Amino acid sequence: MKPPLMPSVLLLLLLSTQVLATELYWTPAHDLAPGGDMTCPAAGDLDGDSDSDVSGLLPGPVRHYWNVGTPEVPEWELDLTQFPNIPSCYDRTGAFGDVDLDGDLDLAIGSFDSFLRFCWNVGTPQEPQWLPDQSMFEGVPVYGGGTYPSFGDLDADGDLDLTVAGSLGNVGYIENTGTVTEPAWAGSGSIAGVEIRPGGHKCAALGDLDADGDLDIVGLSSGGAPQCWENIGTPEVFEFAENPSMLMGVDGPSNGGFGLVLVDIDADGDLDLLIAGWHGENFLYRNNTIVGGVQVEPSSWGRIKALYR
Protein backbone atom coordinates (compact mmCIF):
# COMPACT_ATOMS: atom_id res chain seq x y z
CA MET A 1 0.00 0.00 0.00
CA LYS A 2 1.30 3.43 -0.91
CA PRO A 3 2.15 5.69 2.04
CA PRO A 4 -0.12 8.75 2.44
CA LEU A 5 1.11 12.01 1.05
CA MET A 6 2.65 14.36 3.58
CA PRO A 7 1.08 17.85 3.83
CA SER A 8 4.19 19.46 2.32
CA VAL A 9 4.01 17.18 -0.72
CA LEU A 10 0.29 17.82 -1.14
CA LEU A 11 0.94 21.54 -0.91
CA LEU A 12 3.48 21.35 -3.74
CA LEU A 13 0.97 19.49 -5.87
CA LEU A 14 -1.62 22.16 -5.25
CA LEU A 15 0.84 24.90 -6.13
CA SER A 16 1.73 23.16 -9.37
CA THR A 17 -1.88 23.28 -10.58
CA GLN A 18 -3.15 26.59 -9.16
CA VAL A 19 -2.24 30.23 -9.53
CA LEU A 20 -0.73 31.94 -6.49
CA ALA A 21 -2.91 35.04 -6.76
CA THR A 22 -6.37 35.64 -8.13
CA GLU A 23 -6.29 37.77 -11.27
CA LEU A 24 -9.41 39.37 -12.67
CA TYR A 25 -9.67 41.43 -15.83
CA TRP A 26 -11.96 44.37 -16.48
CA THR A 27 -13.09 46.16 -19.63
CA PRO A 28 -14.14 49.83 -19.62
CA ALA A 29 -17.80 50.25 -20.63
CA HIS A 30 -18.39 53.80 -19.49
CA ASP A 31 -21.06 54.37 -22.15
CA LEU A 32 -23.32 51.94 -20.25
CA ALA A 33 -23.15 53.97 -17.02
CA PRO A 34 -25.83 56.52 -16.11
CA GLY A 35 -24.95 59.87 -17.65
CA GLY A 36 -25.74 62.18 -14.76
CA ASP A 37 -24.85 63.03 -11.19
CA MET A 38 -25.00 59.81 -9.12
CA THR A 39 -22.74 60.79 -6.24
CA CYS A 40 -22.72 58.08 -3.52
CA PRO A 41 -24.42 55.41 -5.65
CA ALA A 42 -26.46 52.43 -4.49
CA ALA A 43 -27.81 49.83 -6.90
CA GLY A 44 -30.46 47.14 -7.00
CA ASP A 45 -33.55 45.96 -8.88
CA LEU A 46 -36.19 48.26 -7.39
CA ASP A 47 -38.97 47.51 -9.87
CA GLY A 48 -38.72 43.75 -10.28
CA ASP A 49 -37.86 43.77 -13.97
CA SER A 50 -34.63 41.75 -13.55
CA ASP A 51 -32.23 44.59 -14.28
CA SER A 52 -30.39 46.88 -11.88
CA ASP A 53 -31.41 50.45 -11.16
CA VAL A 54 -29.05 53.04 -9.67
CA SER A 55 -29.65 55.73 -7.05
CA GLY A 56 -27.34 58.65 -6.34
CA LEU A 57 -27.97 59.33 -2.65
CA LEU A 58 -26.15 62.65 -2.45
CA PRO A 59 -27.74 65.33 -0.24
CA GLY A 60 -30.85 66.92 -1.63
CA PRO A 61 -33.30 65.04 -3.86
CA VAL A 62 -32.10 61.52 -4.62
CA ARG A 63 -31.22 61.21 -8.28
CA HIS A 64 -32.64 57.79 -9.14
CA TYR A 65 -31.99 56.20 -12.52
CA TRP A 66 -34.42 53.54 -13.70
CA ASN A 67 -33.01 51.07 -16.20
CA VAL A 68 -35.62 51.24 -18.96
CA GLY A 69 -33.47 49.26 -21.37
CA THR A 70 -32.44 45.66 -20.94
CA PRO A 71 -29.98 43.98 -18.55
CA GLU A 72 -27.53 43.57 -21.42
CA VAL A 73 -27.96 47.10 -22.84
CA PRO A 74 -29.10 49.47 -20.10
CA GLU A 75 -30.81 52.79 -20.80
CA TRP A 76 -31.35 55.24 -17.99
CA GLU A 77 -34.33 57.43 -17.06
CA LEU A 78 -33.92 60.03 -14.32
CA ASP A 79 -36.53 60.10 -11.53
CA LEU A 80 -36.35 62.71 -8.75
CA THR A 81 -39.54 61.55 -7.00
CA GLN A 82 -38.69 58.01 -5.91
CA PHE A 83 -37.44 58.82 -2.37
CA PRO A 84 -39.74 61.53 -1.02
CA ASN A 85 -39.32 60.88 2.71
CA ILE A 86 -35.91 59.34 3.36
CA PRO A 87 -33.77 61.05 6.01
CA SER A 88 -31.74 64.06 4.93
CA CYS A 89 -28.21 64.13 6.35
CA TYR A 90 -24.71 65.38 5.60
CA ASP A 91 -23.09 63.63 2.62
CA ARG A 92 -25.73 60.90 2.55
CA THR A 93 -24.68 57.45 1.31
CA GLY A 94 -26.56 54.18 1.16
CA ALA A 95 -26.90 50.50 0.30
CA PHE A 96 -29.85 48.32 -0.69
CA GLY A 97 -30.46 44.89 0.84
CA ASP A 98 -33.39 42.65 1.69
CA VAL A 99 -32.82 42.39 5.44
CA ASP A 100 -36.20 40.84 6.29
CA LEU A 101 -36.43 38.36 3.40
CA ASP A 102 -39.76 39.70 2.11
CA GLY A 103 -38.58 39.94 -1.48
CA ASP A 104 -37.98 43.68 -1.73
CA LEU A 105 -34.92 45.82 -1.07
CA ASP A 106 -34.60 47.89 2.09
CA LEU A 107 -32.19 50.81 2.49
CA ALA A 108 -29.37 51.49 4.95
CA ILE A 109 -28.19 55.11 4.99
CA GLY A 110 -24.81 56.41 6.08
CA SER A 111 -23.58 59.93 6.68
CA PHE A 112 -20.43 61.77 7.68
CA ASP A 113 -22.11 62.60 10.99
CA SER A 114 -21.18 58.98 11.90
CA PHE A 115 -24.76 57.79 12.37
CA LEU A 116 -26.52 55.02 10.46
CA ARG A 117 -30.15 55.35 9.43
CA PHE A 118 -32.58 52.88 7.92
CA CYS A 119 -35.70 52.74 5.74
CA TRP A 120 -37.95 49.73 5.36
CA ASN A 121 -39.36 49.05 1.93
CA VAL A 122 -43.06 48.68 2.78
CA GLY A 123 -44.09 48.54 -0.85
CA THR A 124 -43.57 45.63 -3.20
CA PRO A 125 -40.65 44.32 -5.27
CA GLN A 126 -42.23 46.20 -8.19
CA GLU A 127 -43.24 49.45 -6.45
CA PRO A 128 -41.03 50.44 -3.50
CA GLN A 129 -42.25 52.67 -0.70
CA TRP A 130 -39.95 53.86 2.06
CA LEU A 131 -40.63 54.01 5.80
CA PRO A 132 -37.85 55.42 8.04
CA ASP A 133 -37.03 53.40 11.17
CA GLN A 134 -35.03 55.44 13.68
CA SER A 135 -34.54 52.50 16.02
CA MET A 136 -32.87 50.07 13.60
CA PHE A 137 -29.24 51.01 14.35
CA GLU A 138 -29.79 52.64 17.73
CA GLY A 139 -26.74 52.13 19.94
CA VAL A 140 -24.67 50.53 17.17
CA PRO A 141 -21.16 52.07 17.14
CA VAL A 142 -19.70 53.35 13.89
CA TYR A 143 -15.91 53.18 13.87
CA GLY A 144 -13.57 55.75 12.40
CA GLY A 145 -16.04 58.51 11.63
CA GLY A 146 -17.99 58.82 8.42
CA THR A 147 -20.08 56.03 7.00
CA TYR A 148 -20.50 54.32 3.63
CA PRO A 149 -22.51 51.10 4.10
CA SER A 150 -22.53 47.90 2.10
CA PHE A 151 -24.61 44.76 2.71
CA GLY A 152 -23.31 41.18 2.49
CA ASP A 153 -23.36 37.89 4.39
CA LEU A 154 -19.84 37.90 5.84
CA ASP A 155 -20.25 34.88 8.14
CA ALA A 156 -22.35 32.60 5.90
CA ASP A 157 -25.21 32.34 8.38
CA GLY A 158 -27.85 33.30 5.83
CA ASP A 159 -28.55 36.89 6.90
CA LEU A 160 -27.12 40.18 5.70
CA ASP A 161 -24.32 41.82 7.66
CA LEU A 162 -23.03 45.33 7.08
CA THR A 163 -19.68 46.98 6.46
CA VAL A 164 -19.14 50.70 6.90
CA ALA A 165 -16.25 52.62 5.34
CA GLY A 166 -14.95 55.30 7.70
CA SER A 167 -13.34 58.65 6.98
CA LEU A 168 -10.12 57.43 8.65
CA GLY A 169 -9.67 54.71 6.02
CA ASN A 170 -10.94 51.83 8.11
CA VAL A 171 -13.83 49.54 7.18
CA GLY A 172 -16.02 48.61 10.14
CA TYR A 173 -17.90 45.32 10.48
CA ILE A 174 -21.42 45.32 11.89
CA GLU A 175 -22.65 41.77 12.39
CA ASN A 176 -26.29 40.81 12.01
CA THR A 177 -26.88 38.80 15.17
CA GLY A 178 -30.59 38.40 14.47
CA THR A 179 -32.27 36.20 11.89
CA VAL A 180 -32.96 36.37 8.18
CA THR A 181 -36.35 37.97 8.89
CA GLU A 182 -35.63 39.94 12.10
CA PRO A 183 -32.26 41.71 11.98
CA ALA A 184 -30.29 42.80 15.04
CA TRP A 185 -26.91 44.47 14.94
CA ALA A 186 -23.68 44.38 16.91
CA GLY A 187 -20.60 46.46 16.19
CA SER A 188 -17.57 44.19 15.78
CA GLY A 189 -14.74 46.67 15.22
CA SER A 190 -12.72 47.46 12.11
CA ILE A 191 -11.73 44.74 9.66
CA ALA A 192 -8.05 43.82 9.92
CA GLY A 193 -5.94 44.24 6.80
CA VAL A 194 -8.27 46.73 5.08
CA GLU A 195 -7.19 50.37 4.93
CA ILE A 196 -8.41 52.74 2.24
CA ARG A 197 -5.71 55.12 1.05
CA PRO A 198 -5.78 58.77 2.23
CA GLY A 199 -8.24 61.11 0.56
CA GLY A 200 -11.82 62.26 0.88
CA HIS A 201 -15.10 60.46 0.15
CA LYS A 202 -13.92 57.05 1.30
CA CYS A 203 -16.20 54.18 0.35
CA ALA A 204 -16.14 50.39 0.21
CA ALA A 205 -18.34 47.73 -1.35
CA LEU A 206 -18.75 44.01 -0.65
CA GLY A 207 -19.02 41.41 -3.40
CA ASP A 208 -17.76 38.01 -4.51
CA LEU A 209 -15.54 39.19 -7.34
CA ASP A 210 -13.76 35.90 -8.02
CA ALA A 211 -16.74 33.54 -7.61
CA ASP A 212 -15.10 31.51 -4.86
CA GLY A 213 -18.06 31.71 -2.48
CA ASP A 214 -16.82 34.41 -0.11
CA LEU A 215 -17.04 38.21 -0.18
CA ASP A 216 -14.21 40.49 -1.26
CA ILE A 217 -13.95 44.26 -0.71
CA VAL A 218 -13.36 47.09 -3.18
CA GLY A 219 -12.51 50.50 -1.71
CA LEU A 220 -12.03 53.99 -3.08
CA SER A 221 -11.14 57.51 -1.97
CA SER A 222 -10.46 60.75 -3.78
CA GLY A 223 -6.77 59.92 -3.33
CA GLY A 224 -6.41 57.62 -6.33
CA ALA A 225 -7.47 54.45 -8.09
CA PRO A 226 -9.69 51.78 -6.49
CA GLN A 227 -8.20 49.12 -4.22
CA CYS A 228 -9.26 45.51 -3.74
CA TRP A 229 -8.91 43.17 -0.78
CA GLU A 230 -9.32 39.48 -1.50
CA ASN A 231 -11.03 37.33 1.11
CA ILE A 232 -8.38 34.67 1.70
CA GLY A 233 -10.34 33.13 4.56
CA THR A 234 -13.56 31.20 4.23
CA PRO A 235 -17.21 32.15 3.77
CA GLU A 236 -17.69 31.64 7.52
CA VAL A 237 -14.47 33.28 8.81
CA PHE A 238 -13.24 36.15 6.67
CA GLU A 239 -9.64 37.29 6.30
CA PHE A 240 -8.62 40.02 3.88
CA ALA A 241 -5.39 40.78 2.05
CA GLU A 242 -4.92 43.55 -0.50
CA ASN A 243 -4.62 42.14 -4.02
CA PRO A 244 -4.09 44.70 -6.82
CA SER A 245 -4.26 41.97 -9.48
CA MET A 246 -8.00 41.67 -8.87
CA LEU A 247 -8.48 45.08 -10.50
CA MET A 248 -6.47 44.61 -13.68
CA GLY A 249 -7.64 47.20 -16.20
CA VAL A 250 -9.43 49.45 -13.69
CA ASP A 251 -8.03 52.98 -13.70
CA GLY A 252 -10.96 54.89 -12.30
CA PRO A 253 -11.34 58.67 -12.44
CA SER A 254 -8.24 60.75 -11.78
CA ASN A 255 -9.89 62.35 -8.75
CA GLY A 256 -10.76 58.96 -7.22
CA GLY A 257 -14.47 59.44 -7.62
CA PHE A 258 -17.39 59.99 -5.29
CA GLY A 259 -18.58 56.50 -4.46
CA LEU A 260 -18.71 53.06 -6.00
CA VAL A 261 -21.00 50.07 -6.10
CA LEU A 262 -20.60 46.45 -7.25
CA VAL A 263 -23.53 45.38 -9.40
CA ASP A 264 -24.15 42.95 -12.26
CA ILE A 265 -25.07 45.71 -14.68
CA ASP A 266 -25.10 43.51 -17.79
CA ALA A 267 -26.73 40.39 -16.29
CA ASP A 268 -23.90 38.05 -17.25
CA GLY A 269 -23.59 36.50 -13.80
CA ASP A 270 -20.61 38.43 -12.42
CA LEU A 271 -20.22 41.73 -10.56
CA ASP A 272 -19.26 44.85 -12.47
CA LEU A 273 -17.80 48.02 -10.94
CA LEU A 274 -19.66 51.34 -11.18
CA ILE A 275 -17.84 54.50 -10.00
CA ALA A 276 -19.37 57.96 -9.62
CA GLY A 277 -17.18 60.71 -11.05
CA TRP A 278 -17.26 64.49 -11.31
CA HIS A 279 -20.30 66.21 -12.87
CA GLY A 280 -21.92 63.05 -14.22
CA GLU A 281 -18.72 61.64 -15.75
CA ASN A 282 -19.30 58.14 -14.43
CA PHE A 283 -17.21 55.01 -14.96
CA LEU A 284 -18.30 51.42 -15.51
CA TYR A 285 -15.93 48.46 -15.71
CA ARG A 286 -17.27 45.11 -16.85
CA ASN A 287 -15.91 42.08 -15.06
CA ASN A 288 -14.46 39.63 -17.59
CA THR A 289 -14.93 36.33 -15.81
CA ILE A 290 -14.68 34.61 -19.19
CA VAL A 291 -11.27 35.13 -20.78
CA GLY A 292 -10.63 33.53 -24.14
CA GLY A 293 -13.62 31.26 -23.64
CA VAL A 294 -12.19 29.84 -20.40
CA GLN A 295 -13.55 30.56 -16.93
CA VAL A 296 -11.05 32.43 -14.77
CA GLU A 297 -10.08 30.15 -11.91
CA PRO A 298 -10.82 31.71 -8.50
CA SER A 299 -7.72 30.39 -6.76
CA SER A 300 -5.21 32.04 -4.46
CA TRP A 301 -2.29 31.38 -2.19
CA GLY A 302 -4.46 32.38 0.73
CA ARG A 303 -6.99 29.66 -0.01
CA ILE A 304 -4.27 27.01 -0.22
CA LYS A 305 -2.68 28.33 2.95
CA ALA A 306 -5.99 28.03 4.79
CA LEU A 307 -5.89 24.24 4.37
CA TYR A 308 -2.92 24.01 6.74
CA ARG A 309 -3.82 26.43 9.52
Side-chain angles (χ1 to χ4, degrees):
M1 183 176 65
K2 292 183 179 179
L5 289 173
M6 298 297 292
S8 58
V9 177
L10 181 57
L11 178 59
L12 289 174
L13 290 175
L14 285 168
L15 291 176
S16 68
T17 58
Q18 300 198 35
V19 184
L20 292 185
T22 304
E23 291 187 358
L24 300 179
Y25 297 88
W26 305 78
T27 301
H30 308 323
D31 58 316
L32 298 182
D37 192 344
M38 60 168 204
T39 303
C40 304
D45 183 6
L46 291 184
D47 54 5
D49 63 352
S50 299
D51 56 38
S52 295
D53 311 297
V54 179
S55 300
L57 291 161
L58 70 165
V62 174
R63 300 180 68 85
H64 179 70
Y65 297 90
W66 295 109
N67 185 353
V68 296
T70 66
E72 294 78 13
V73 185
E75 297 180 20
W76 305 102
E77 182 178 281
L78 177 62
D79 182 356
L80 298 177
T81 68
Q82 180 50 221
F83 297 86
N85 62 339
I86 70 169
S88 179
C89 48
Y90 176 60
D91 271 7
R92 183 175 53 207
T93 62
F96 295 116
D98 185 1
V99 301
D100 55 357
L101 208 65
D102 65 348
D104 56 37
L105 296 176
D106 308 298
L107 175 63
I109 297 172
S111 167
F112 279 88
D113 62 11
S114 297
F115 288 97
L116 288 169
R117 298 161 174 86
F118 187 80
C119 289
W120 292 106
N121 186 346
V122 295
T124 67
Q126 291 74 36
E127 295 184 9
Q129 297 180 23
W130 308 102
L131 178 65
D133 182 351
Q134 296 181 1
S135 66
M136 175 61 73
F137 294 111
E138 186 175 0
V140 176
V142 176
Y143 301 91
T147 59
Y148 202 109
S150 182
F151 280 115
D153 186 0
L154 271 171
D155 51 8
D157 64 351
D159 56 36
L160 289 178
D161 307 299
L162 196 66
T163 58
V164 180
S167 61
L168 300 181
N170 65 302
V171 175
Y173 171 45
I174 300 176
E175 182 183 359
N176 187 345
T177 58
T179 68
V180 293
T181 57
E182 296 183 4
W185 309 96
S188 301
S190 296
I191 296 176
V194 178
E195 184 175 352
I196 303 171
R197 65 171 52 92
H201 297 277
K202 293 182 177 65
C203 55
L206 287 168
D208 185 1
L209 294 183
D210 50 6
D212 64 351
D214 55 37
L215 297 178
D216 311 295
I217 296 176
V218 177
L220 180 69
S221 76
S222 59
Q227 300 166 265
C228 186
W229 293 269
E230 182 183 0
N231 189 344
I232 60 174
T234 67
E236 296 79 16
V237 181
F238 58 79
E239 180 183 349
F240 291 98
E242 189 167 2
N243 184 355
S245 67
M246 292 183 74
L247 290 179
M248 298 286 288
V250 175
D251 300 319
S254 59
N255 62 3
F258 292 92
L260 60 81
V261 64
L262 292 168
V263 55
D264 186 4
I265 207 77
D266 51 8
D268 64 350
D270 55 40
L271 291 174
D272 308 300
L273 178 60
L274 181 61
I275 302 174
W278 282 93
H279 307 301
E281 185 186 6
N282 303 316
F283 297 78
L284 176 66
Y285 292 90
R286 297 178 64 172
N287 185 350
N288 292 333
T289 54
I290 304 296
V291 179
V294 179
Q295 187 78 25
V296 174
E297 290 297 329
S299 57
S300 70
W301 164 248
R303 185 150 299 283
I304 298 169
K305 178 187 69 176
L307 295 173
Y308 299 100
R309 290 182 180 174

